[in-house]
Amino acid sequence: MRIGVVTFPGSLDDRDALRAAELAGAEGVALWHAEDDLHGVDAVVLPGGFSYGDYLRCGAVAFHAPVMDAVKRFAADGGPVLGICNGFQILCEAGLLPGALLRNQGLRFTCRPVELEVANTSTPWTAGYAPGQRIRIPVKNGDGRYYADTVTLDRLEDQGRVVLRYRDNPNGSERDIAGVCNEGGNVVGVMPHPEHAVDPLLRRGTDGLAIFASLRAGAQPLQRSR
Amino acid sequence: MPRVAIDVLLKHEILDPQGRAVERALPGLGYADVTDVRVGKHLELDIDAEGEELSARVEKMCADFLTNPVIEAYRWRVITADERADA
C-alpha cells in the first residue's frame, strides 16, 4: 500500500502524514503540488496547513494547483482521497465534498484534543474502527466550522455520509459534523488531525492510526482503469 | 481599461462571528445605535473587456474562484478612477 501525501506551498502536516502512513505499515510517497502526477499511489492525503497562505479563502488557491487535476481524476475513478483540515477545505473548494469550512464561531484558533464518534465505518479510511467508536484526536484550526445548507445536511445524514462527529462541538459546526464523505465514500474530509495521534510516545494517544491502517486492513482500493 | 469592484459577504443566513464581534465592540466606543454588522471583502481589478463580454467574464470569475457560492453572496460594478476604495 502506497499512500501519497501532497505538499502545497504552506502545507504544515505533510511530514506527519507521511510518518503516520509509515507507522500504519504503508509506504509514504511525497507528492508535489506543481506536478499533475500521482506516481501510481494507492491513496492520496491532502494534509493540513495553510496552502498558499489561505489567501482569498482557505483552500481556494490550492484547488487550482496542477496536482488537483490528477486528484480529481483519481477520486472520480474511486481512488481513496483523504483531506485533513486544510485538505478538507481544499476538497470542499474543489467541489469533491459538499459544504464549506467557516471561521470558528468563537473566532479563536482552537488547538486541543477532541472526543469524536466514528459515524461511518464503511469508507476506506474508517473501516478499521468499530461503528460508533469514540476516539480522541486533536483539532488545530481557525476555520473549522462546517457549514452546508439544510437540504445538503439532511441528505448527508440520510445517506450516512457524516464520517466523524464531535462529542463536544469546538467551533459551531452544523450538526456537530467533524468529517464527511462523498457519495462513493472514497473521498473523505476531516477537520481533526489523525496524523497527530499515531505515536505511543506522545500523550495524544494513537487513536488516529486506524485512519491510515484502514486502507490496508479493510477496503482494498477499488480497481481503477489506469 | 475598465475597473471592476466586487463586494463579497457571507450569505445573510450564515453566522458571521467577525461581524458580531465588531457589533458587540461598537457600543463601548459610543456607537450604540448600530445593528446587523457584516464583515466581508472588497476586491478591485482591471479587466480588458467591455459590455456583455465583461459581464460574462466577471460573473464566471466570481463563480469559479473569487467567491464560494456555497457560503458567499456578491455584487460587482464598473467603477471610475475616483471611486477606487484606495483612492
Side-chain angles (χ1 to χ4, degrees):
Chain A
M1 174 64 65
R2 300 172 75 234
I3 301 179
V5 178
V6 178
T7 299
F8 296 96
S11 291
L12 296 180
D13 303 323
D14 41 343
R15 300 266 176 140
D16 293 53
L18 285 168
R19 185 157 180 279
E22 304 270 349
L23 283 172
E27 180 190 346
V29 179
L31 302 174
W32 186 237
H33 69 103
E35 281 185 47
D36 179 11
D37 185 354
L38 300 181
H39 298 283
V41 295
D42 301 302
V44 175
V45 174
L46 305 182
F50 299 86
S51 57
Y52 300 92
D54 273 353
Y55 293 148
L56 193 62
R57 293 178 307 279
C58 301
V61 181
F63 132 57
H64 295 278
V67 74
M68 288 306 293
D69 292 331
V71 171
K72 280 180 208 165
R73 290 195 301 271
F74 183 75
D77 288 347
V81 177
L82 173 69
I84 302 169
C85 195
N86 195 224
F88 187 10
Q89 294 161 343
I90 295 168
L91 290 173
C92 287
E93 280 285 339
L96 291 175
L97 291 174
L101 283 309
L102 295 167
R103 188 68 61 89
N104 289 346
Q105 193 170 330
L107 287 176
R108 283 168 192 247
F109 191 96
T110 307
C111 185
R112 63 177 168 87
V114 291
E115 294 257 344
L116 300 156
E117 181 181 317
V118 184
N120 178 337
T121 55
S122 61
T123 82
W125 300 98
T126 53
Y129 294 104
Q133 187 174 339
R134 307 265 173 91
I135 61 172
R136 190 176 164 84
I137 62 179
V139 287
K140 191 183 72 175
N141 63 63
D143 298 74
R145 174 166 56 112
Y146 185 76
Y147 171 84
D149 61 44
T150 307
V151 175
T152 305
L153 289 168
D154 286 344
R155 194 171 64 233
L156 287 172
E157 305 256 24
D158 290 347
Q159 297 176 342
R161 288 166 56 192
V162 177
V163 175
L164 289 181
R165 230 185 264 276
Y166 298 110
R167 301 273 301 150
D168 180 15
N169 194 335
N171 52 31
S173 289
E174 294 284 345
R175 305 195 191 178
D176 302 329
I177 289 173
V180 299
C181 66
N182 68 346
E183 277 187 49
N186 59 307
V187 180
V188 172
V190 298
M191 227 37 223
H193 289 264
E195 81 282 15
H196 292 335
V198 293
D199 194 323
L201 277 176
L202 299 178
R203 286 196 311 149
R204 290 167 181 152
T206 57
D207 283 356
L209 197 58
I211 291 274
F212 301 91
S214 288
L215 286 165
R216 250 164 39 102
Q220 289 299 313
L222 302 178
Q223 286 300 315
R224 296 190 304 280
S225 50
R226 285 178 301 116
Chain B
M1 204 180 292
R3 186 159 186 81
V4 168
I6 306 156
D7 289 306
V8 187
L9 282 180
L10 284 176
K11 288 179 179 173
H12 197 253
E13 66 269 23
I14 296 179
L15 170 71
D16 172 16
Q18 222 180 151
R20 183 169 288 185
V22 171
E23 189 174 319
R24 284 180 183 169
L26 285 169
L29 300 167
Y31 304 101
D33 45 356
V34 177
T35 54
D36 197 18
V37 177
R38 310 286 288 179
V39 177
K41 281 177 246 184
H42 177 85
L43 293 83
E44 288 186 19
L45 49 91
D46 293 333
I47 180 166
D48 189 8
E50 305 230 337
E52 284 189 14
E53 193 205 340
L54 181 146
S55 297
R57 295 203 33 208
V58 171
E59 289 287 349
K60 187 156 181 356
M61 218 178 342
C62 286
D64 288 350
F65 182 49
L66 297 181
T67 78
N68 180 343
V70 174
I71 49 173
E72 292 171 328
Y74 67 92
R75 285 178 181 278
W76 66 272
R77 66 198 171 94
V78 175
I79 59 170
T80 58
D82 57 358
E83 288 176 312
R84 294 176 66 123
D86 58 1

